[in-house]
């Protein structure tokens, strides 16, 4: 896990400044694969369309870091509760 990588000063942790080491390494590896000809399934899209997709993928992968899991679940739960409390219209 990330804590182990940071504690042991693993190259992944050093490369990513002890921030989401495993997730950042996975993102880097995956995005590098897309840099090779014939593997970028997004290359036919306009760059305006690719940028938000890429940003969303990055957010989703970084959210898999268990260090932020409980904060993310808490935010999600609060949004659900707030939506349930809103009066229904229509």
């Amino acid at each position: 896990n990330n804590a182990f990588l940071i504690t042991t000063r693993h190259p992944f942790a050093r490369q990513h400044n002890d921030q989401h080491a495993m997730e950042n390494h996975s993102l880097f590896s995956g995005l590098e694969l897309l840099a090779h000809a014939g593997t970028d399934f997004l290359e036919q899209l306009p760059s305006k369309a690719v940028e938000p997709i890429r940003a969303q993928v990055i957010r989703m992968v970084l959210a898999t870091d268990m260090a932020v899991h409980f904060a993310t679940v808490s935010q999600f739960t609060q949004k659900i509760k707030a939506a349930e409390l809103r009066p229904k219209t229509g």
Side-chain angles (χ1 to χ4, degrees):
N1 66 19
N2 285 325
F4 176 78
L5 295 177
I6 292 165
T7 301
T8 60
R9 292 182 167 65
H10 189 278
F12 290 176
R14 293 194 322 264
Q15 181 180 16
H16 301 293
N17 301 312
D18 297 343
Q19 301 297 309
H20 314 286
M22 292 172 57
E23 294 77 16
N24 274 314
H25 180 72
S26 295
L27 281 165
F28 174 77
S29 298
L31 294 172
E32 277 295 295
L33 287 173
L34 292 179
H36 299 295
T39 61
D40 187 355
F41 61 93
L42 301 173
E43 68 187 350
Q44 296 181 10
L45 297 176
S47 62
K48 277 187 170 184
V50 173
E51 291 168 13
I53 294 170
R54 187 177 189 276
Q56 183 63 34
V57 168
I58 291 169
R59 280 193 300 275
M60 290 188 312
V61 171
L62 291 178
T64 65
D65 185 345
M66 290 305 290
V68 297
H69 171 76
F70 294 106
T72 303
V73 169
S74 176
Q75 290 173 352
F76 179 73
T77 302
Q78 289 173 3
K79 287 181 181 183
I80 295 296
K81 286 180 182 176
E84 290 172 349
L85 294 175
R86 278 192 218 123
K88 295 193 176 19
T89 59

